[in-house]
């Protein structure tokens, strides 16, 4: 495992675009949460009724939920990173060279899966740090209550990157994969979920890949329970997310084993 991760590190350590984009993501996580916290504070002072509805989303224990929810909107950036470093393997023929040099096809895909997992762990750790900073800055007492949202966020980040991984394994070219990734994530899956919920059974559409993890972290407000009527319970969504991630990674392994390098 360590050997495979080291191989991946050697490939990306001189990839400046990768680190620029990763840096933008880190800055954006802090920036988005800062902007929202300040906006809520200003609106709450001007319109007290709004403060009653929103509560104090950056206090413990609500901060775990809030930061996970807001950061979820930025997970398309790690998805882009997965597409970039995987498509480069085909563009620069390093995938073929790795196999020629003795790396089995299974090990090649496993190295990518391990890298995606490492990214997910890092992103979850980042969210933990940001949540801790904002929670303590509000003057509240630290609590682990609500930290289960960090586990949900870990699955959410894994899911977004797995979807990107599947697309780049299918199309290989970064431009096509990125276009389809955005199209699917922001339009296609939402439309499919809407059609299923209204024409087949309410709530069934939330078992689609991205929906299953997104619904685990609903909007952190008193309105969330009203907005998410018909949403399946967390155990069902968790099971769906784990199955989808497993199927996607299994598909990528099979796809690479059969593909022409």
């Amino acid at each position: 495992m360590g050997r495979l991760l080291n191989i991946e590190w050697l490939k990306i350590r001189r990839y400046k675009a990768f680190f620029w984009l990763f840096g933008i993501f880190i800055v954006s996580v802090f920036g988005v949460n800062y902007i929202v916290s300040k906006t809520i504070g200003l609106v709450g002072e001007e319109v007290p009724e709004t403060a009653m509805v929103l509560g104090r989303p950056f206090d413990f224990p609500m901060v775990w939920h809030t930061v996970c929810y807001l950061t979820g909107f930025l997970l398309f950036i790690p998805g882009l990173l997965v597409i970039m470093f995987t498509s480069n393997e085909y563009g620069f023929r390093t995938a073929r060279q790795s196999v020629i040099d003795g790396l089995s096809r299974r090990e090649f895909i496993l190295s990518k899966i391990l890298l995606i997992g490492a990214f997910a762990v890092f992103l979850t750790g980042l969210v933990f740090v940001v949540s801790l900073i904002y929670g303590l800055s509000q003057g509240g007492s630290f609590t682990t209550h609500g930290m289960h949202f960090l586990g949900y966020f870990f699955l959410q980040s894994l899911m977004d990157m797995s979807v990107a991984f599947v697309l780049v394994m299918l199309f290989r070219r970064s431009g096509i994969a990125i276009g389809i990734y955005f199209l699917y994530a922001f339009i296609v899956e939402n439309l499919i979920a809407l059609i299923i919920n209204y024409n087949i059974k309410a709530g069934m559409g939330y078992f689609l890949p991205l929906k299953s993890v997104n619904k685990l972290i609903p909007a952190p407000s008193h309105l969330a329970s009203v907005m998410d009527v018909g949403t399946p319970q967390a155990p069902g969504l968790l099971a769906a997310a784990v199955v989808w991630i497993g199927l996607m990674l299994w598909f990528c392994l099979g796809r690479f084993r059969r593909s022409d390098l």
Side-chain angles (χ1 to χ4, degrees):
M1 182 181 296
R3 179 177 69 92
L4 296 177
L5 281 174
N6 186 57
I7 291 173
E8 291 302 311
W9 167 247
L10 292 174
K11 291 177 182 178
I12 65 174
R13 66 177 181 175
R14 298 186 185 278
Y15 191 11
K16 292 183 179 180
F18 176 89
F19 288 102
W20 272 106
L21 199 55
F22 206 75
I24 289 172
F25 174 80
I26 294 173
V27 172
S28 297
V29 172
F30 283 95
V32 166
N33 284 280
Y34 176 79
I35 291 170
V36 173
S37 65
K38 289 300 181 182
T39 302
I40 289 175
L42 291 173
V43 172
E45 292 177 0
E46 296 293 331
V47 188
E49 294 81 1
T50 304
M52 292 176 62
V53 172
L54 295 177
R56 296 179 62 85
F58 287 91
D59 283 13
F60 287 117
M62 194 70 174
V63 66
W64 304 113
H65 186 175
T66 304
V67 175
C68 287
Y69 175 78
L70 293 174
T71 307
F73 289 102
L74 301 172
L75 285 176
F76 68 90
I77 298 179
L80 294 181
L81 290 173
V82 170
I83 291 174
M84 287 169 56
F85 70 68
T86 306
S87 63
N88 281 344
E89 295 278 12
Y90 292 106
F92 296 112
R93 301 279 182 163
T94 50
R96 180 180 181 181
Q97 190 61 47
S98 295
V99 174
I100 292 174
D101 290 342
L103 203 66
S104 70
R105 293 191 179 219
R106 180 179 177 276
E107 287 178 321
F108 179 85
I109 290 298
L110 184 58
S111 67
K112 292 291 181 288
I113 293 173
L114 289 173
L115 188 59
I116 288 172
F119 282 161
V121 170
F122 177 84
L123 299 180
T124 305
L126 177 64
V127 168
F128 171 80
V129 171
V130 174
S131 301
L132 197 61
I133 291 172
Y134 277 97
L136 294 176
S137 68
Q138 298 299 312
S141 300
F142 174 81
T143 176
T144 58
H145 180 66
M147 282 185 69
H148 62 281
F149 283 105
L150 291 175
Y152 294 163
F153 179 82
F154 175 77
L155 276 180
Q156 188 180 32
S157 59
L158 268 183
M159 182 69 79
D160 277 72
M161 289 187 284
S162 296
V163 170
F165 194 35
V166 167
L167 293 174
V168 74
M169 291 300 293
L170 280 172
F171 300 103
R172 298 192 179 186
R173 295 178 182 274
S174 60
I176 297 174
I178 289 172
I180 296 177
Y181 175 65
F182 278 110
L183 187 65
Y184 177 79
F186 295 107
I187 299 177
V188 174
E189 188 173 279
N190 288 319
L191 287 176
I192 295 174
L194 192 65
I195 291 170
I196 292 174
N197 288 337
Y198 280 92
N199 294 284
I200 300 177
K201 185 178 179 181
M204 285 296 293
Y206 298 141
F207 288 107
L208 293 171
L210 296 177
K211 283 291 184 184
S212 64
V213 288
N214 292 342
K215 287 300 177 180
L216 285 170
I217 311 176
S221 73
H222 301 304
L223 297 177
S225 58
V226 177
M227 295 166 60
D228 291 329
V229 172
T231 301
Q233 296 297 311
L237 294 172
L238 277 170
V242 171
V243 169
W244 276 116
I245 292 171
L247 287 174
M248 288 179 186
L249 298 180
W250 175 79
F251 169 81
C252 291
L253 176 60
R255 172 76 177 179
F256 189 72
R257 280 178 169 176
R258 296 187 300 269
S259 64
D260 182 12
L261 301 180

